[in-house]
């Protein structure tokens, strides 16, 4: 691949040195079940409390000048959980749209959704559409909900879309580069995450934003998601600010 091709693939410019506040923060909100189990409560109670952390961190992003927040809310693999838990999580999304979207709209938040539509109940898909539509003209924080999302599934869909363009004669395979792939991802138009936070001490990506995290800084916070607050968030931001991002180059002097 040519250097030119590479530069083009980074068209949605990664954040370079000198920025202490990340432009885009992505979070794997993990540990709800353990939070509840530790208190002798059903796992669903952990999810309910997790929504409060979503409210806190959304406000905190706005206050800190972060432009994009992407939250891993339900993974493609979360369908393998017990049906009662899946049903509860779907109910929580309905409730979130009903209770929180009006307030987010007032705050100027623009909601985006990434993830597969297939498999979602029609009213869940409609709830997501409603949230996006209601907030589409807002100019504040871009809050992306990754719902029924899997990184491999997203890349597979992009490959399929590209193959269809080639089959229709609209695209010459020789011209396919990183930017072609980016254009076919659900995150197109957003900068890649500068910082990925995963709570609960687990240190894995669990199929989240696989393509987009090529040069993302990872911070693994020990705290469980329902306990994640401004203090824990600021600690993660401070860790990010202390990192030296090189993007494969050498440190600028
Ligand atoms: C994250 O918390 C929420 C979702 C995956 C929806 P978990 O439910 O994974 O909590 P733990 O990891 O079991 O503690
Ligand atoms: C990732 O957490 C998915 C979400 C936070 C929505 P999981 O709890 O599902 O991931 P694993 O199973 O521990 O890898
Ligand atoms: Mg988990």
């Amino acid at each position: 691949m040519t250097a030119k091709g590479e530069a083009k693939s980074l068209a949605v410019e990664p954040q370079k040195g000198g920025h202490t506040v990340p432009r885009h923060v992505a979070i794997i909100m993990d540990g709800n079940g353990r939070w509840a189990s530790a208190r002798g409560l059903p796992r669903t109670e952990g999810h309910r409390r997790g929504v409060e952390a979503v409210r806190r961190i959304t406000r905190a992003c706005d206050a800190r000048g972060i432009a994009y927040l992407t939250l891993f809310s339900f993974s493609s693999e979360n369908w393998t959980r017990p049906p009662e838990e899946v049903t509860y999580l779907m109910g929580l999304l309905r409730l979130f749209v009903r209770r929180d979207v009006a307030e987010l709209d007032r705050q100027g938040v623009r909601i985006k959704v990434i993830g597969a539509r297939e498999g979602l109940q029609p009213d869940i898909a409609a709830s997501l559409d409603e949230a996006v539509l209601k907030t589409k003209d807002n100019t504040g924080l871009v809050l992306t909900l990754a719902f029924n999302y899997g990184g491999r599934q997203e890349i597979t869909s992009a490959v399929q879309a590209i193959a269809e363009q080639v089959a229709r004669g609209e695209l010459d395979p020789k011209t396919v580069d990183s930017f072609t792939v980016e254009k076919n991802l659900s995150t197109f138009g957003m900068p890649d995450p500068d910082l990925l936070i995963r709570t609960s001490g687990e240190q894995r990506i669990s199929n989240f934003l696989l393509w987009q995290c090529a040069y993302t800084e990872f911070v693994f916070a020990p705290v469980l998601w329902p306990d994640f607050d401004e203090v824990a968030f600021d600690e993660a931001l401070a860790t990010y600010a202390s990192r030296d991002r090189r993007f494969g180059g050498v440190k600028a002097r």
Side-chain angles (χ1 to χ4, degrees), residues 2 10 26 30 71 83 93 95 107 136 142-143 157 170 172 186 192 200 222 242:
T2 63
L10 298 174
D30 199 13
L71 298 175
L93 179 83
L95 210 62
Q107 290 170 28
K136 72 176 183 16
V142 177
L143 171 64
S157 296
E170 295 163 9
D172 176 356
S186 58
D192 287 339
S200 89
S242 72

Side-chain angles (χ1 to χ4, degrees), residues 1-2 4-9 155 157-185 211:
M1 191 184 294
T2 63
K4 205 172 151 231
E6 262 313 293
K8 209 171 147 199
S9 85
I155 294 168
S157 296
V159 170
Q160 206 168 49
I162 292 166
E164 280 164 6
Q165 290 158 41
V166 169
R168 287 197 299 266
E170 295 163 9
L171 184 66
D172 176 356
K174 286 199 241 18
T175 66
V176 172
D177 59 13
S178 308
F179 189 54
T180 317
V181 178
E182 271 176 22
K183 278 191 290 192
N184 286 280
L185 295 174
W211 172 279

Side-chain angles (χ1 to χ4, degrees), residues 52-105:
E52 287 170 27
V54 168
R55 296 187 184 113
R56 265 198 308 272
I57 299 310
T58 304
R59 277 195 303 270
C61 279
D62 213 21
R64 285 154 184 76
I66 291 161
Y68 297 85
L69 172 65
T70 301
L71 298 175
F72 204 4
S73 312
F74 191 85
S75 81
S76 310
E77 290 74 33
N78 286 150
W79 295 106
T80 61
R81 295 188 176 203
E84 317 78 71
E85 184 169 342
V86 170
T87 302
Y88 187 86
L89 288 166
M90 295 296 149
L92 215 48
L93 179 83
R94 285 188 192 96
L95 210 62
F96 179 75
V97 171
R98 212 175 309 140
R99 283 206 196 141
D100 288 80
V101 169
E103 174 55 27
L104 291 170
D105 186 39

Side-chain angles (χ1 to χ4, degrees), residues 196-245:
L196 174 96
I197 300 170
R198 182 170 187 148
T199 58
S200 89
E202 304 296 353
Q203 302 191 3
R204 55 177 170 266
I205 193 157
S206 299
N207 203 15
F208 192 37
L209 302 175
L210 298 180
W211 172 279
Q212 297 85 345
C213 284
Y215 272 102
T216 298
E217 295 295 327
F218 287 19
V219 172
F220 299 104
V223 54
L224 303 172
W225 177 251
D227 289 331
F228 195 72
D229 59 8
E230 289 82 352
V231 174
F233 189 42
D234 284 337
E235 262 174 44
L237 293 175
T239 303
Y240 170 81
S242 72
R243 298 272 175 87
D244 174 23
R245 301 186 78 187

